[in-house]
């Protein structure tokens, strides 16, 4: 599974880790994140992320 990087702040979404603080379980691919998910660091939307 590919990692995705926030183009605003550099946060890396790693599917193997997920976003536990945001309620996203480990093993969740970026494509399966809810449409309203935002970067846990800076709050931008999914469309600001690029594949690493």
């Amino acid at each position: 599974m590919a990692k995705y990087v926030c183009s605003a702040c550099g946060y890396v979404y790693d599917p193997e880790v997920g976003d536990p603080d945001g309620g996203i379980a480990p093993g969740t691919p970026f494509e399966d994140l809810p449409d309203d998910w935002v970067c846990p660091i800076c709050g931008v939307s999914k469309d600001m992320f690029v594949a690493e």
Side-chain angles (χ1 to χ4, degrees):
M1 287 187 279
K3 296 179 183 179
Y4 282 76
V5 181
C6 177
S7 60
C9 74
Y11 168 81
V12 176
Y13 176 77
D14 183 346
E16 293 183 14
V17 176
D19 177 17
D21 293 339
I24 306 299
T28 303
F30 185 81
E31 297 80 11
D32 291 349
L33 292 174
D35 289 338
D36 62 351
W37 182 84
V38 296
C39 176
I41 302 300
C42 70
V44 298
S45 62
K46 281 176 60 175
D47 61 355
M48 294 292 291
F49 280 73
V50 293
E52 187 175 55

